[in-house]
Amino acid sequence: MTAPKYVEPSGDQKAGYLHYKRPASPWEIFLKEEGIPVYHGIGMRDSRDLPRAPWARQGGKATYIQLIGTNNDTGMYCWELPGRGSSEVIHHFYEERFIVLNGRGSTEVWKEGSSAKTTFEWQPWSVFSIPLNAYFRVVNASSGPAIILAVNTAPRIVNMFQSKSFTFNNPYNFEDRFGGNLEDYWKPAEDYEAHPVQGRAQLTTNLFPDAQNCYLPLDNNRAPGFRWVYPQMVGNTVLGGFIAEYPPGRYAKAHHHGSGAVLVCMRGKGYSITWPSKEGGLTPFQDGKGDLVLWQEYWEGGMISAAPTGNPNETWFHQHFAISSGPFRVFNYTGGSAFGVAGPGQEGDMVAGIGAEITDGGRAIPYHMEDPFLRKHFEERLKENSGSFDMPEEVYTEAGASIRVMSD
Ligand SMILES: [Fe+2]
């Protein structure tokens, strides 16, 4: 389509339109061309319940999942490979990470210009990532379907370069991410390190054989007894996030930030609530603004967009509640690896860590300042689910707010 000729306004009239419709982004056009369903929403109980359709590009059947707040940022899909079936050979210039929900199998990964394949095996709740721009093929060894959740940075690359050939047919090898001696490349690591910027736990591993049951170190930042690790995988610079766990009968302090994080439940059952921080304030129910609060219950395979806003100037408070009889484990699998690496401001600026509360320059509401409805409601939900309330009473006092380390 050729653009119409520009006509200058006359006098002091403004050029162009004061209001106009936002066009589809290259990523949104790409999604339509893929020929599989696209799910929109703030989350769902179990992503396996979403309808899937045959997918020519990667093989098997799939649905895209584009939660509110992730648009043009991260791509997600729920993918089914038939029993004893395998995917097409896949190769793309974006980071990608997978969580296995059902089935067992293996993945072959290799480089441009090399026939030597590296291979690893996976089972339910394995988490693996494919090195940027490597070739790979996923093979389902089970007799039934394998179902795998994926997250990637495709929207950024598709939007930035607007070239399928660049995205899917680029010969560049990232030797720094997938090079040298690859013999132990997929050997899972178990030694937790302190993250150099925040000092919290990180694990540098390209594969979690069982991220549902693996050990998670004590962290305490979001709740007493909260466990947490930052997974540093295949040299990814964008896909970071965290795996976190709430003890049964406990819940997170509310905290606020912009959109992007998606929590996938890997163990147990819970619910999350989220509301716009400026509009809803600290105590939305008490202030008659309860209708601004969005709720999502989810269990293994389900998810929520923690701050579901499309507005870059807006932050949302969110809070997660463990209602299962066992721990509630979630994977923020879209989360960035920024960790103070690429934040706003200048080098050397002080950044409030996630454990910092609003009374201490942070973004979290201490329990003693939260909306009283939340605890009451949580106690009721626990009763319905045969769980029991297990928050230590002292966290509801001002003194308790400054307790940084607590035992289980
Ligand atoms: Fe968050």
Side-chain angles (χ1 to χ4, degrees), residues 222 242 255-258 261 263 306-307 316 318 320 332:
R222 280 275 175 264
F242 56 76
H255 70 281
H256 72 104
H257 51 67
L263 299 180
W316 280 49
H318 43 278
H320 318 296
N332 169 12

PDB file of all heavy atoms in Angstrom, residues 222 242 255-258 261 263 306-307 316 318 320 332, ligand 1:
ATOM      1  N   ARG A 222       9.803 -12.649  50.512  1.00  0.00           N
ATOM      2  CA  ARG A 222       8.389 -12.401  50.202  1.00  0.00           C
ATOM      3  C   ARG A 222       7.439 -12.819  51.318  1.00  0.00           C
ATOM      4  O   ARG A 222       6.309 -12.378  51.370  1.00  0.00           O
ATOM      5  CB  ARG A 222       7.999 -13.165  48.927  1.00  0.00           C
ATOM      6  CG  ARG A 222       8.408 -12.496  47.665  1.00  0.00           C
ATOM      7  CD  ARG A 222       7.376 -11.461  47.230  1.00  0.00           C
ATOM      8  NE  ARG A 222       7.859 -10.747  46.079  1.00  0.00           N
ATOM      9  CZ  ARG A 222       8.471  -9.575  46.153  1.00  0.00           C
ATOM     10  NH1 ARG A 222       8.662  -8.983  47.308  1.00  0.00           N
ATOM     11  NH2 ARG A 222       8.890  -8.978  45.064  1.00  0.00           N
ATOM     12  N   PHE A 242      12.515 -16.468  38.347  1.00  0.00           N
ATOM     13  CA  PHE A 242      12.861 -17.178  39.581  1.00  0.00           C
ATOM     14  C   PHE A 242      11.923 -18.339  39.803  1.00  0.00           C
ATOM     15  O   PHE A 242      10.830 -18.386  39.254  1.00  0.00           O
ATOM     16  CB  PHE A 242      12.813 -16.236  40.789  1.00  0.00           C
ATOM     17  CG  PHE A 242      11.497 -15.534  40.988  1.00  0.00           C
ATOM     18  CD1 PHE A 242      10.400 -16.202  41.518  1.00  0.00           C
ATOM     19  CD2 PHE A 242      11.347 -14.198  40.636  1.00  0.00           C
ATOM     20  CE1 PHE A 242       9.187 -15.546  41.696  1.00  0.00           C
ATOM     21  CE2 PHE A 242      10.126 -13.536  40.805  1.00  0.00           C
ATOM     22  CZ  PHE A 242       9.048 -14.211  41.341  1.00  0.00           C
ATOM     23  N   HIS A 255       3.358  -6.511  46.745  1.00  0.00           N
ATOM     24  CA  HIS A 255       4.386  -5.595  46.256  1.00  0.00           C
ATOM     25  C   HIS A 255       3.985  -5.159  44.859  1.00  0.00           C
ATOM     26  O   HIS A 255       3.179  -5.831  44.208  1.00  0.00           O
ATOM     27  CB  HIS A 255       5.763  -6.251  46.276  1.00  0.00           C
ATOM     28  CG  HIS A 255       5.908  -7.333  45.261  1.00  0.00           C
ATOM     29  ND1 HIS A 255       5.402  -8.589  45.455  1.00  0.00           N
ATOM     30  CD2 HIS A 255       6.475  -7.342  44.019  1.00  0.00           C
ATOM     31  CE1 HIS A 255       5.657  -9.336  44.392  1.00  0.00           C
ATOM     32  NE2 HIS A 255       6.301  -8.613  43.500  1.00  0.00           N
ATOM     33  N   HIS A 256       4.542  -4.048  44.397  1.00  0.00           N
ATOM     34  CA  HIS A 256       4.092  -3.540  43.091  1.00  0.00           C
ATOM     35  C   HIS A 256       5.256  -3.302  42.140  1.00  0.00           C
ATOM     36  O   HIS A 256       6.376  -2.992  42.548  1.00  0.00           O
ATOM     37  CB  HIS A 256       3.273  -2.252  43.261  1.00  0.00           C
ATOM     38  CG  HIS A 256       4.092  -1.050  43.654  1.00  0.00           C
ATOM     39  ND1 HIS A 256       4.417  -0.051  42.768  1.00  0.00           N
ATOM     40  CD2 HIS A 256       4.647  -0.689  44.838  1.00  0.00           C
ATOM     41  CE1 HIS A 256       5.137   0.870  43.402  1.00  0.00           C
ATOM     42  NE2 HIS A 256       5.292   0.504  44.659  1.00  0.00           N
ATOM     43  N   HIS A 257       4.979  -3.520  40.876  1.00  0.00           N
ATOM     44  CA  HIS A 257       5.909  -3.167  39.792  1.00  0.00           C
ATOM     45  C   HIS A 257       5.146  -3.221  38.477  1.00  0.00           C
ATOM     46  O   HIS A 257       3.954  -3.531  38.463  1.00  0.00           O
ATOM     47  CB  HIS A 257       7.142  -4.088  39.785  1.00  0.00           C
ATOM     48  CG  HIS A 257       6.850  -5.550  39.801  1.00  0.00           C
ATOM     49  ND1 HIS A 257       6.261  -6.203  38.757  1.00  0.00           N
ATOM     50  CD2 HIS A 257       7.058  -6.485  40.758  1.00  0.00           C
ATOM     51  CE1 HIS A 257       6.145  -7.482  39.056  1.00  0.00           C
ATOM     52  NE2 HIS A 257       6.602  -7.688  40.271  1.00  0.00           N
ATOM     53  N   GLY A 258       5.833  -2.939  37.396  1.00  0.00           N
ATOM     54  CA  GLY A 258       5.200  -2.932  36.085  1.00  0.00           C
ATOM     55  C   GLY A 258       4.957  -4.343  35.573  1.00  0.00           C
ATOM     56  O   GLY A 258       5.280  -5.335  36.236  1.00  0.00           O
ATOM     57  N   ALA A 261       5.965 -10.074  34.557  1.00  0.00           N
ATOM     58  CA  ALA A 261       6.150 -11.352  35.261  1.00  0.00           C
ATOM     59  C   ALA A 261       4.924 -12.243  35.109  1.00  0.00           C
ATOM     60  O   ALA A 261       3.791 -11.799  35.286  1.00  0.00           O
ATOM     61  CB  ALA A 261       6.415 -11.098  36.741  1.00  0.00           C
ATOM     62  N   LEU A 263       3.633 -15.980  36.616  1.00  0.00           N
ATOM     63  CA  LEU A 263       3.919 -17.078  37.542  1.00  0.00           C
ATOM     64  C   LEU A 263       3.200 -18.334  37.066  1.00  0.00           C
ATOM     65  O   LEU A 263       1.990 -18.317  36.866  1.00  0.00           O
ATOM     66  CB  LEU A 263       3.442 -16.730  38.947  1.00  0.00           C
ATOM     67  CG  LEU A 263       4.070 -15.511  39.611  1.00  0.00           C
ATOM     68  CD1 LEU A 263       3.491 -15.311  40.995  1.00  0.00           C
ATOM     69  CD2 LEU A 263       5.585 -15.648  39.683  1.00  0.00           C
ATOM     70  N   ALA A 306       1.315 -11.353  36.780  1.00  0.00           N
ATOM     71  CA  ALA A 306       1.280 -10.754  38.118  1.00  0.00           C
ATOM     72  C   ALA A 306       0.863  -9.285  38.107  1.00  0.00           C
ATOM     73  O   ALA A 306       0.222  -8.812  39.032  1.00  0.00           O
ATOM     74  CB  ALA A 306       2.641 -10.908  38.787  1.00  0.00           C
ATOM     75  N   ALA A 307       1.242  -8.557  37.074  1.00  0.00           N
ATOM     76  CA  ALA A 307       0.902  -7.130  36.983  1.00  0.00           C
ATOM     77  C   ALA A 307       0.311  -6.887  35.594  1.00  0.00           C
ATOM     78  O   ALA A 307       0.993  -6.408  34.700  1.00  0.00           O
ATOM     79  CB  ALA A 307       2.144  -6.273  37.211  1.00  0.00           C
ATOM     80  N   TRP A 316       1.269  -2.459  39.348  1.00  0.00           N
ATOM     81  CA  TRP A 316       0.174  -3.166  40.022  1.00  0.00           C
ATOM     82  C   TRP A 316       0.714  -3.885  41.253  1.00  0.00           C
ATOM     83  O   TRP A 316       1.777  -4.508  41.190  1.00  0.00           O
ATOM     84  CB  TRP A 316      -0.463  -4.194  39.067  1.00  0.00           C
ATOM     85  CG  TRP A 316      -1.422  -3.575  38.087  1.00  0.00           C
ATOM     86  CD1 TRP A 316      -1.189  -2.484  37.300  1.00  0.00           C
ATOM     87  CD2 TRP A 316      -2.760  -4.011  37.789  1.00  0.00           C
ATOM     88  NE1 TRP A 316      -2.296  -2.215  36.528  1.00  0.00           N
ATOM     89  CE2 TRP A 316      -3.277  -3.143  36.809  1.00  0.00           C
ATOM     90  CE3 TRP A 316      -3.564  -5.047  38.257  1.00  0.00           C
ATOM     91  CZ2 TRP A 316      -4.561  -3.279  36.284  1.00  0.00           C
ATOM     92  CZ3 TRP A 316      -4.843  -5.193  37.726  1.00  0.00           C
ATOM     93  CH2 TRP A 316      -5.341  -4.307  36.759  1.00  0.00           C
ATOM     94  N   HIS A 318       0.525  -6.999  43.733  1.00  0.00           N
ATOM     95  CA  HIS A 318       0.060  -8.377  43.623  1.00  0.00           C
ATOM     96  C   HIS A 318       0.538  -9.170  44.814  1.00  0.00           C
ATOM     97  O   HIS A 318       1.506  -8.800  45.482  1.00  0.00           O
ATOM     98  CB  HIS A 318       0.507  -9.018  42.305  1.00  0.00           C
ATOM     99  CG  HIS A 318       1.908  -8.714  41.932  1.00  0.00           C
ATOM    100  ND1 HIS A 318       2.263  -7.542  41.303  1.00  0.00           N
ATOM    101  CD2 HIS A 318       3.052  -9.403  42.108  1.00  0.00           C
ATOM    102  CE1 HIS A 318       3.568  -7.531  41.102  1.00  0.00           C
ATOM    103  NE2 HIS A 318       4.081  -8.650  41.594  1.00  0.00           N
ATOM    104  N   HIS A 320       0.386 -13.401  46.554  1.00  0.00           N
ATOM    105  CA  HIS A 320       0.159 -14.821  46.237  1.00  0.00           C
ATOM    106  C   HIS A 320      -0.105 -15.601  47.519  1.00  0.00           C
ATOM    107  O   HIS A 320       0.591 -15.412  48.519  1.00  0.00           O
ATOM    108  CB  HIS A 320       1.372 -15.384  45.499  1.00  0.00           C
ATOM    109  CG  HIS A 320       1.908 -14.427  44.476  1.00  0.00           C
ATOM    110  ND1 HIS A 320       1.163 -14.043  43.369  1.00  0.00           N
ATOM    111  CD2 HIS A 320       3.067 -13.728  44.403  1.00  0.00           C
ATOM    112  CE1 HIS A 320       1.863 -13.157  42.667  1.00  0.00           C
ATOM    113  NE2 HIS A 320       3.023 -12.952  43.273  1.00  0.00           N
ATOM    114  N   ASN A 332       8.388 -17.903  38.049  1.00  0.00           N
ATOM    115  CA  ASN A 332       8.241 -16.680  37.260  1.00  0.00           C
ATOM    116  C   ASN A 332       9.111 -16.881  36.034  1.00  0.00           C
ATOM    117  O   ASN A 332      10.276 -16.553  36.031  1.00  0.00           O
ATOM    118  CB  ASN A 332       8.688 -15.453  38.056  1.00  0.00           C
ATOM    119  CG  ASN A 332       8.789 -14.222  37.179  1.00  0.00           C
ATOM    120  OD1 ASN A 332       8.317 -14.224  36.033  1.00  0.00           O
ATOM    121  ND2 ASN A 332       9.414 -13.184  37.673  1.00  0.00           N
TER     122      ASN A 332
HETATM  123 FE    FE B   1       6.127  -9.269  41.533  1.00  0.00          FE
END
